Amino acid sequence: MHVFSLIWVMLLLRTLLIMSLALAIPVMAGEVAVGPAVSGAGILEDTTPDPDSRSAEVAVGGEEAPALPADPKPAVPLADAVNAAVGPEQSIEVLGATVLPGTSQRLSWSATELFEGVPVSTPVLVINGALPGPTLCLTAAVHGDELNGIEMVRRVMHDLDPSRVSGAVIGVPIVNVQGFRRGSRYLPDRRDLNRYFPGNPNGSAASRIAYSFFTNVISQCDALVDLHTGSFERANLPQIRADLRNPDIITLTQGFGSMVILHSTPALGTLRHAATMAGIPAVTLEAGGPSQLELNEVKLGVKGIETLVNTLGMVRKMRLWGEPEPVYYRSSWVRADNGGILLGNVSLGSTVRKGDLLGTITDPMNNARTELRSPYSGRVIGMARNQVVMPGFAAFHVGIQTDEAPVDEPDDSAAADTVSDSDDYVDGMSE
Ligand SMILES: [Zn+2]
């Protein structure tokens, strides 16, 4: 009798714990994005308890791999990929100002003259070199809680001397200033600005902000590097995300030196996607996690960008950073199958072999432990921080190193041998 009632009480306690975990997780994971398709009336309906369903970028998996070029080496000379490197040095007309060759200016951009009745502006740093060349744009904090990129832009701009630059660099350290002020990834209406580019002058607040930024600033660029971090308590190994089906973009990625390159198709509405559609080769530089400044990640990012500035021929004598890293065409998420406390056994950048232990999930009630193992040999290019997770949570992002492009024709035997990536959304890790 005693034994049975004890078991019953334990089952009850366990149920309560699971319920409380399920309730706690959405709070811990922070805010909920509102996608472009969701009307204002639907905002409350979007508070899904699944932290993995909010923002999505489709990673290319084995079965979905697009037709990639057989040779990932630069297909187009950099000066052609990033055009406009011809002609004499010119003044830059931007945001109502004229920036003369060989000078720099700190301008400011406001999405609207009045936002919520209060002027909101953000600095736009323009360095117009004394010599002709392309205009490279650096944007950061499109997600307001992603701090590493803000510091990267500051450092890169500070190191440039206009009298020695060929071309121009436009740096926007904080695109989403409203989110930044609140320490939030999103705009005040919970919309994700990076789902609304290139915007619409008559649309939602997010669309209008996106439109203003795109037409006033991005339209000036010949190439774009948009800086991001992981999100929702996940961190990314410094990496370039790029659509490697585009030869100009392949060329751009080769300029960053020894930085991991991940092929990824940009989600609709991202700045990267909109810029690329407008003929501006664009990549995302991901480094670290949100809501903190991580100096090692910042330094790696700066090194990559400065190497790019150098390989674009825009400066001389800046440091060059080694040989390009192998391209990671494919990647796969390893997800939690059980809820509990996730503890990582690897670090960002760890090289793993198929079957290696990535981390464990421990049920805090019965102490049962499950293991997450790598389905591939590869490298840990993104991972969750230690935290409470629920089943389905994307915990480890394993990049699969390959020098050769996937074959176009589907190979069923090979596909069956690997984990299907068909549902492989990059969750909150997306740009
Ligand atoms: Zn981001």
Side-chain angles (χ1 to χ4, degrees):
M1 181 60 188
H2 281 296
V3 173
F4 284 120
S5 57
L6 187 64
I7 289 172
W8 190 85
V9 168
M10 283 180 68
L11 282 173
L12 181 69
L13 279 173
R14 190 185 143 84
T15 308
L16 286 171
L17 179 81
I18 290 169
M19 286 172 65
S20 63
L21 282 181
L23 288 171
I25 283 164
V27 177
M28 296 179 63
E31 299 164 280
V32 176
V34 179
V38 178
S39 69
I43 286 176
L44 290 177
E45 295 167 13
D46 201 43
T47 52
T48 160
D50 178 1
D52 291 343
S53 66
R54 293 181 189 125
S55 56
E57 173 187 17
V58 179
V60 174
E63 292 166 323
E64 293 189 341
L68 290 165
D71 183 2
K73 300 286 184 303
V76 180
L78 209 44
D80 292 343
V82 181
N83 57 27
V86 291
E89 65 279 9
Q90 291 175 346
S91 297
I92 293 180
E93 307 286 340
V94 59
L95 296 166
T98 301
V99 185
L100 297 172
T103 69
S104 60
Q105 276 194 49
R106 180 193 162 108
L107 307 172
S108 87
W109 163 71
S110 302
T112 53
E113 284 196 11
L114 296 175
F115 189 88
E116 294 170 329
V118 181
V120 176
S121 67
T122 191
V124 174
L125 314 170
V126 182
I127 291 175
N128 191 8
L131 302 164
T135 298
L136 174 68
C137 291
L138 309 171
T139 50
V142 170
H143 293 132
D145 63 345
E146 300 183 357
L147 308 181
N148 290 336
I150 300 173
E151 177 65 3
M152 288 183 211
V153 173
R154 188 190 69 78
R155 292 188 179 199
V156 169
M157 300 303 282
H158 185 77
D159 286 349
L160 290 171
D161 175 355
S163 69
R164 294 169 174 270
V165 171
S166 301
V169 183
I170 298 177
V172 188
I174 307 170
V175 175
N176 179 1
V177 65
Q178 292 99 340
F180 173 74
R181 285 179 169 175
R182 295 161 44 249
S184 163
R185 175 177 175 87
Y186 303 116
L187 292 168
D189 63 359
R190 289 188 163 189
R191 283 187 164 88
D192 182 337
L193 178 58
N194 211 28
R195 294 296 176 274
Y196 289 87
F197 290 103
N200 178 343
N202 303 311
S204 65
S207 282
R208 291 171 193 228
I209 292 168
Y211 178 82
S212 170
F213 187 66
F214 203 83
T215 51
N216 286 300
V217 180
I218 298 303
S219 61
Q220 302 277 338
C221 313
D222 296 317
L224 170 69
V225 183
D226 189 27
L227 307 175
H228 285 263
T229 73
S231 58
F232 305 123
E233 296 298 311
R234 297 185 183 95
N236 284 336
L237 185 72
Q239 61 195 260
I240 300 296
R241 293 197 180 168
D243 186 345
L244 298 179
R245 297 169 304 178
N246 181 323
D248 289 346
I249 293 177
I250 291 179
T251 304
L252 193 61
T253 63
Q254 300 295 321
F256 285 88
S258 302
M259 192 166 265
V260 168
I261 297 164
L262 179 64
H263 170 65
S264 91
T265 309
L268 197 65
T270 56
L271 183 53
R272 173 157 73 96
H273 183 266
T276 303
M277 295 306 283
I280 302 163
V283 299
T284 301
L285 195 166
E286 294 264 354
S291 303
Q292 55 184 311
L293 274 165
E294 298 161 299
L295 274 189
N296 285 336
E297 279 74 8
V298 167
K299 284 178 187 167
L300 281 170
V302 168
K303 201 167 166 184
I305 296 167
E306 291 190 341
T307 302
L308 176 69
V309 170
N310 204 322
T311 45
L312 282 171
M314 297 174 69
V315 290
R316 309 243 182 277
K317 290 186 182 172
M318 282 180 100
R319 51 196 164 167
L320 273 174
W321 188 15
E323 289 296 303
E325 276 265 318
V327 170
Y328 293 85
Y329 276 124
R330 298 174 53 205
S331 66
S332 176
W333 277 99
V334 180
R335 293 174 183 273
D337 284 330
N338 306 80
I341 294 173
L342 169 71
L343 294 175
N345 281 62
V346 292
S347 0
L348 272 182
S350 292
T351 300
V352 292
R353 306 183 69 158
K354 184 173 180 176
D356 279 358
L357 184 66
L358 298 171
T360 58
I361 297 171
T362 306
D363 183 325
M365 194 63 190
N366 64 9
N367 207 32
R369 205 178 81 139
T370 54
E371 295 179 336
L372 295 180
R373 293 189 175 273
S374 180
Y376 298 108
S377 294
R379 199 164 171 204
V380 178
I381 60 174
M383 62 183 283
R385 294 175 180 143
N386 292 337
Q387 60 188 289
V388 177
V389 299
M390 45 192 235
F393 184 86
F396 298 94
H397 196 193
V398 180
I400 304 149
Q401 186 173 328
T402 169
D403 291 330
E404 53 195 58
V407 285
D408 286 344
E409 48 196 323
D411 182 345
D412 289 336
S413 58
D417 193 38
T418 59
V419 173
S420 167
D421 291 342
S422 57
D423 65 341
D424 208 349
Y425 289 100
V426 187
D427 311 292
M429 297 286 282
S430 66
E431 61 204 60

